[in-house]
Amino acid sequence: MELQEQIKSVIRDVPDFPEVGILFKDITPVLQKPQLCSHMLDYLAKQCAKLNIGAVAAIESRGFMFGFPLALRLGVPFIPIRKKGKLPYDVVSHDYTLEYGTASIEAHTDAIEAGARVLIHDDLLATGGTAGAAAELIHKLGGTVAGFSFLIELEFLGGRKKLSAYTQDITTLVSY
Ligand code: AMP
């Protein structure tokens, strides 16, 4: 079986979570398959090899699951992006609009070196609001967005178009 098919056969669809009408793509069954995870990381690392990545930034909390091991594979520092109030040291924040209300994400002020080429990673690309906010945060920290990577893309929500304002280098493992 091809890698994409293998991943799709393991992702679990959970209807109406966390709200009625959302089909939640649950990656926890993927985490139970270490060999599959390793192949997924190989694929992402290969796709990112040409981008000259200086750091990987990932979004709390499902983004950390593959984001940190991806940074290790690429041999670059890891930057945790967290929701407001979770990081202990001085932070830079970015507020963004959600379907209902606003949210705020943060990173430590010393998280990246000026001009660093950063790959932004998350588990899933939907509308692109979260990853776009992460890109704005990286800019505030003095970094450049060198690429995005996701395990899953929900193509019908158009996130890729939104993120193309930052870079054309958007890698996804499986799409729906
Ligand atoms: P968006 O900002 O609309 O691109 O949404 C992406 C963020 O919301 C990611 O951090 C995902 O983990 C989460 N997310 C959105 N839709 C889903 C879904 N259908 N299944 C799982 N996670 C989702």
Side-chain angles (χ1 to χ4, degrees):
M1 226 197 297
E2 259 193 42
L3 181 61
Q4 273 76 8
E5 281 175 65
Q6 277 184 58
I7 299 165
K8 280 192 172 181
S9 72
V10 178
I11 290 169
R12 175 165 50 201
D13 285 352
V14 183
D16 299 326
F17 182 88
E19 289 170 26
V20 174
I22 307 269
L23 183 63
F24 192 87
K25 297 288 183 189
D26 178 18
I27 61 163
T28 61
V30 176
L31 304 177
Q32 291 175 356
K33 302 208 171 287
Q35 215 180 0
L36 177 60
C37 290
S38 189
H39 289 149
M40 290 163 70
L41 287 165
D42 287 344
Y43 179 90
L44 293 176
K46 199 171 161 204
Q47 294 298 311
C48 296
K50 61 177 190 301
L51 300 180
N52 190 22
I53 300 296
V56 174
I59 304 158
E60 177 182 15
S61 59
R62 290 185 297 278
F64 292 176
M65 293 168 184
F66 282 81
F68 183 50
L70 180 59
L72 296 181
R73 293 255 168 146
L74 295 171
V76 299
F78 176 72
I79 303 163
I81 296 178
R82 301 210 59 186
K83 290 172 189 139
K84 195 181 181 68
K86 300 283 186 185
L87 287 167
Y89 182 62
D90 297 341
V91 294
V92 173
S93 305
H94 182 73
D95 300 327
Y96 63 107
T97 316
L98 296 171
E99 203 175 339
Y100 304 102
T102 58
S104 190
I105 50 172
E106 297 181 334
H108 278 150
T109 49
D110 60 355
I112 54 175
E113 289 182 16
R117 289 177 55 77
V118 179
L119 176 81
I120 296 173
H121 174 84
D122 201 1
D123 66 326
L124 183 143
L125 172 62
T127 64
T130 309
E136 294 297 327
L137 187 64
I138 295 304
H139 285 169
K140 281 188 182 175
L141 286 159
T144 304
V145 178
F148 292 95
S149 74
F150 303 92
L151 308 181
I152 303 165
E153 176 177 4
L154 302 182
E155 281 178 348
F156 55 93
L157 291 173
R160 182 175 285 266
K161 188 157 180 270
K162 186 176 176 111
L163 299 185
S164 65
Y166 300 99
T167 173
Q168 300 301 315
D169 288 303
I170 304 169
T171 297
T172 58
L173 274 164
V174 296
S175 320
Y176 295 90

